């Protein structure tokens, strides 16, 4: 029966209209996977040396054991945010002589067989040879690999349970982040060391011949938690009631009505974002990417790299606009025909999308103001980047959105989901990020970075001052492309 389920899943995938399309996107994704695979392998071999430099008084294996619990918690958070839930057309099988337990087991086993889960082994196996074997021997290295596999199973199953039980709600995300932040604060202020606890726990598991069985038991417990959830929530109407209740919580944005037709359209867009998996996942991703600057600003390596610092500034100050802008029209594909038959003039529709992206850019800029503590140069970069985002990039996105005729399925998660993505999504990144980076890089060679900053700021200010005229160009382009968009959005991949 399980082989039949997987055969059906495979046939559904290869028979989908969009399976053999998007060749360029698939090639890009494949090359990216190979790139990260090579990086993981090299990192696994080099990790003992990196850990020895970071903590010279500790054995690299002990140092890694100390951070492994943090890695597990962060991986669980990542899966909770982005891991799509395994689904099946339940009603089609409920009328057939198929046991309920087999359907549930299939739903739980399917994500465990996803090859993407085991990319971590490209790091774990080399590190077990170079880092674990010298400290724990061959048996310890073998147990370490098994423990990593079972931790992947535990995280996959437990994240699915948390997501099914609590959903991707703001409350759940906030609670999870507060727990992680609380653990980090306890470590930082020397109140309680999770690092020391992690050393003891994973040291015991690797040394003990039955340590891997303990982790396997935790994976089995996560599996049983999911089984218990499905025992109470097997029928679709249980989920329908939850969906209706969630929608009721986000159905009113009456404060937007005072802005007339444009306010009503923005209100609809806000409801769309908060009611669908894919848009909510993008929203959570935007919040996490606000911390992207912490990877660069504290490091001395990037202090002299002006082009990279400008890239980071544009990215973090416009992350909301960047993530949502590339699909600002596509996400309405399922009801675009209906939208075009309403009493909504093109000018109001384009302006509503403009103000929505502008609001996201302003919010991103405000939330990144703590980066100003890293110095005056960061303050100047962020201010110039905001002007460039609000005056140039926002118009590039609105104009470019009229060329993407692929309908976006909002009911699906965004993690590892390339549905609705085309080569146009990558081309549009050139004026957004590459142009300002190139400009800064060229002028920096002649110690004239300030001239490049002035040029970018002037371009941004010009776009803000002449926003109406630029929107008129986008309106005319939208009218030329409207029927092509309608036709494209009717096609399901």
């Amino acid at each position: 029966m399980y082989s039949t389920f997987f055969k059906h899943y495979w046939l559904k995938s290869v028979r989908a209209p969009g399976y053999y399309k998007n060749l360029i996107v698939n090639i890009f994704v494949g090359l990216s996977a190979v790139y990260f695979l090579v990086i993981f392998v090299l990192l696994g071999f080099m990790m003992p040396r990196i850990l020895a430099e970071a903590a010279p008084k500790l054995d690299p294996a002990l140092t890694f054991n100390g951070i492994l619990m943090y890695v597990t918690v962060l991986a669980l958070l990542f899966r909770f945010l982005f891991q799509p839930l395994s689904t099946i057309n339940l009603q089609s099988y409920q009328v057939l002589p198929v046991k309920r337990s087999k359907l549930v087991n299939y739903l739980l086993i399917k994500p465990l067989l996803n090859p993407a889960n085991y990319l971590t082994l490209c790091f774990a196996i080399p590190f077990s040879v170079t880092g674990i074997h010298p400290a724990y021997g061959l048996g310890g290295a073998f147990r370490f690999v098994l423990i990593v596999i079972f931790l992947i199973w535990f995280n996959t199953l437990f994240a699915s349970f948390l997501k099914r039980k609590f959903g991707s709600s703001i409350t759940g995300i906030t609670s999870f982040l507060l727990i992680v932040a609380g653990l980090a604060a306890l470590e930082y202020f020397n109140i309680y060391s999770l690092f020391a606890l992690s050393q003891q726990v994973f040291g015991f598991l690797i040394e003990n011949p039955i340590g891997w069985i303990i982790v396997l038991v935790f994976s089995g417990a996560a599996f049983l938690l999911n089984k218990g959830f499905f025992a109470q929530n097997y029928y679709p109407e249980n989920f329908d009631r939850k969906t209706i209740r969630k929608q009721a919580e986000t159905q009113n944005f009456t404060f937007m009505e005072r802005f007339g037709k444009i306010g009503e359209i923005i209100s609809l867009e806000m409801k769309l974002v908060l009611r669908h998996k894919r848009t909510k996942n993008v929203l959570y991703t935007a919040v996490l990417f606000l911390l992207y600057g912490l990877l660069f600003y504290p490091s001395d390596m990037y202090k002299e790299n002006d082009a990279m610092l400008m890239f980071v500034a544009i990215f973090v100050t416009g992350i909301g606009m960047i993530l949502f802008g590339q699909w600002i029209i596509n996400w309405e594909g399922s009801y675009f025909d209906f939208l075009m038959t309403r009493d909504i003039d093109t000018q109001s529709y384009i302006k509503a999308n403009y103000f929505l992206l502008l609001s996201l850019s302003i919010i991103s800029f405000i939330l990144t103001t703590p980066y100003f503590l890293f110095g005056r140069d960061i303050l100047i970069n962020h201010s110039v980047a905001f002007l460039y985002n609000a005056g140039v990039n926002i118009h590039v996105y609105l104009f470019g959105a009229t060329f993407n005729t692929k309908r976006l399925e909002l009911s699906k998660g965004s993690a590892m989901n390339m549905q609705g993505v085309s080569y146009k999504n990558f081309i549009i990144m050139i004026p957004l990020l590459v142009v300002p980076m190139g400009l800064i890089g060229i002028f920096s060679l002649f110690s004239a970075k300030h001239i490049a900053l002035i040029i970018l700021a002037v371009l941004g200010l010009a776009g803000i001052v002449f926003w109406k005229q630029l929107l008129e160009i986008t309106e005319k382009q939208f009218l030329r492309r409207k029927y092509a968009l309608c036709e494209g959005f009717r096609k399901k991949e």
Side-chain angles (χ1 to χ4, degrees):
M1 185 56 68
Y2 294 121
S3 63
T4 302
F5 289 152
F6 282 108
K7 180 182 178 182
H8 290 176
Y9 174 73
W10 171 253
L11 292 175
K12 178 183 176 182
S13 300
V14 298
R15 289 173 178 174
Y19 183 78
Y20 296 100
K21 299 179 182 178
N22 305 328
L23 182 60
I24 296 177
V25 174
N26 292 332
I27 293 174
F28 178 81
V29 173
L31 292 175
S32 300
V34 173
Y35 169 78
F36 284 109
L37 188 147
V38 173
I39 293 294
F40 286 161
V41 172
L42 294 177
L43 187 61
F45 283 115
M46 296 173 60
M47 184 55 68
R49 186 185 304 174
I50 297 172
L51 294 175
E53 293 178 359
K57 295 182 180 180
L58 290 176
D59 185 273
L62 289 176
T63 306
F64 188 80
N65 286 344
I67 64 175
L68 196 52
M69 195 168 289
Y70 280 107
V71 172
T72 303
V73 173
L74 291 175
L76 181 61
L77 173 62
F78 183 84
R79 286 184 180 277
F80 177 69
L81 290 175
F82 304 115
Q83 178 178 279
L85 291 175
S86 179
T87 58
I88 191 174
N89 189 356
L90 198 60
Q91 292 91 331
S92 299
Y93 292 99
Q94 284 178 321
V95 296
L96 298 174
V98 180
K99 289 184 178 180
R100 179 189 302 185
S101 60
K102 290 189 180 294
L103 287 168
V104 172
N105 289 341
Y106 166 73
L107 283 172
L108 299 180
I109 293 172
K110 190 172 77 168
L112 298 181
L113 301 180
N114 188 344
N117 287 331
Y118 302 100
L119 287 176
T120 310
L121 294 179
C122 296
F123 165 83
I125 294 175
F127 181 72
S128 70
V129 175
T130 57
I132 301 298
H133 179 264
Y136 296 100
L138 182 61
F142 181 72
R143 285 191 292 273
F144 172 76
V145 174
L146 287 179
I147 288 170
V148 170
I149 293 174
F150 297 144
L151 282 176
I152 292 171
W153 290 7
F154 170 77
N155 271 355
T156 302
L157 293 167
F158 193 56
S160 297
F161 169 74
L162 292 176
K163 203 162 189 174
R164 289 188 173 102
K165 183 73 174 178
F166 304 106
S168 300
S169 63
I170 293 293
T171 304
I173 301 297
T174 305
S175 301
F176 215 136
L177 290 174
L178 288 175
I179 291 172
V180 174
L183 293 173
L186 291 174
E187 186 80 50
Y188 181 80
F189 293 107
N190 295 321
I191 299 173
Y192 183 80
S193 178
L194 189 66
F195 180 84
L197 176 64
S198 181
Q199 276 185 329
Q200 296 174 1
V201 170
F202 285 101
F204 169 79
L205 294 175
I206 295 173
E207 287 180 339
N208 198 303
I210 63 170
W212 61 275
I213 298 178
I214 297 174
V215 185
L216 180 60
V217 169
F218 275 92
S219 301
F223 182 85
L224 293 176
L225 282 174
N226 282 277
K227 291 273 286 187
F229 176 84
F230 277 110
Q232 298 177 347
N233 301 275
Y234 180 70
Y235 293 98
E237 53 265 26
N238 297 110
F239 298 102
D240 291 341
R241 283 196 293 268
K242 291 180 180 180
T243 303
I244 293 170
R245 186 167 62 250
K246 287 180 181 179
Q247 289 182 351
E249 295 172 358
T250 60
Q251 65 182 357
N252 292 319
F253 290 98
T254 54
F255 65 94
M256 296 300 301
E257 294 178 0
R258 69 185 68 174
F259 300 106
K261 185 72 71 176
I262 293 176
E264 292 178 12
I265 298 173
I266 295 177
S267 174
L268 288 173
E269 301 279 11
M270 294 168 68
K271 292 176 185 177
L272 181 147
V273 169
L274 296 175
R275 289 181 179 179
H276 293 87
K277 291 181 182 179
R278 195 158 185 176
T279 47
K280 283 196 294 185
N281 283 351
V282 172
L283 181 62
Y284 303 147
T285 304
V287 174
L288 288 178
F289 273 132
L290 290 174
L291 304 175
Y292 191 64
L294 295 177
L295 299 176
F296 295 89
Y297 293 154
S299 176
D300 295 332
M301 184 189 307
Y302 299 101
K303 287 185 177 179
E304 303 301 324
N305 193 334
D306 296 325
M308 180 58 69
L309 291 179
M310 177 52 63
F311 165 81
V312 176
I314 291 177
F315 189 77
V316 298
T317 59
I319 185 61
M321 181 195 69
I322 289 172
L323 292 182
F324 283 106
Q326 57 186 318
W327 293 307
I328 192 65
I329 296 178
N330 303 61
W331 63 18
E332 296 163 347
S334 59
Y335 61 92
F336 193 76
D337 283 343
F338 172 80
L339 199 63
M340 292 299 99
T341 62
R342 300 299 93 188
D343 184 18
I344 302 174
D345 59 287
T346 303
Q347 185 180 62
S348 297
Y349 178 72
I350 298 298
K351 280 186 177 180
N353 286 321
Y354 169 78
F355 285 122
L356 179 61
L357 293 183
L358 182 62
S359 300
L360 290 172
S361 185
I362 293 172
I363 292 171
S364 298
F365 175 72
I366 293 173
L367 292 177
T368 56
T369 51
Y371 285 127
F372 294 172
L373 297 174
F374 285 101
R376 182 173 61 89
D377 290 341
I378 302 301
L379 187 154
I380 294 173
N381 282 353
H382 276 226
S383 301
V384 171
F386 169 72
L387 292 175
Y388 188 78
N389 280 326
V392 178
N393 284 348
I394 192 171
H395 294 289
V396 173
Y397 261 136
L398 287 172
F399 190 87
T402 62
F403 290 96
N404 199 342
T405 57
K406 293 195 174 184
R407 173 174 171 171
L408 205 67
E409 297 296 338
L410 299 180
S411 59
K412 300 179 180 179
S414 62
M416 304 299 293
N417 183 8
M418 303 303 293
Q419 186 276 324
V421 179
S422 70
Y423 67 93
K424 300 169 187 175
N425 295 95
F426 301 108
I427 291 176
I428 202 172
M429 301 301 291
I430 295 175
L432 294 176
L433 298 172
V434 177
V435 170
M437 282 182 66
L439 197 63
I440 292 290
I442 292 172
F443 277 90
S444 294
L445 295 176
F446 304 99
S447 300
K449 170 191 169 184
H450 61 284
I451 297 178
L453 291 172
I454 292 172
I455 293 174
L456 293 175
V458 169
L459 288 174
L461 285 171
I464 294 172
V465 171
F466 298 104
W467 68 277
K468 291 184 178 179
Q469 290 80 0
L470 291 171
L471 286 187
E472 288 178 3
I473 297 174
T474 302
E475 290 167 21
K476 294 177 182 177
Q477 170 66 8
F478 179 81
L479 289 173
R480 285 194 294 266
R481 296 281 303 166
K482 182 171 70 171
Y483 297 108
L485 290 169
C486 290
E487 183 180 356
F489 293 155
R490 293 186 195 114
K491 299 176 182 178
K492 289 186 178 183
E493 296 185 5

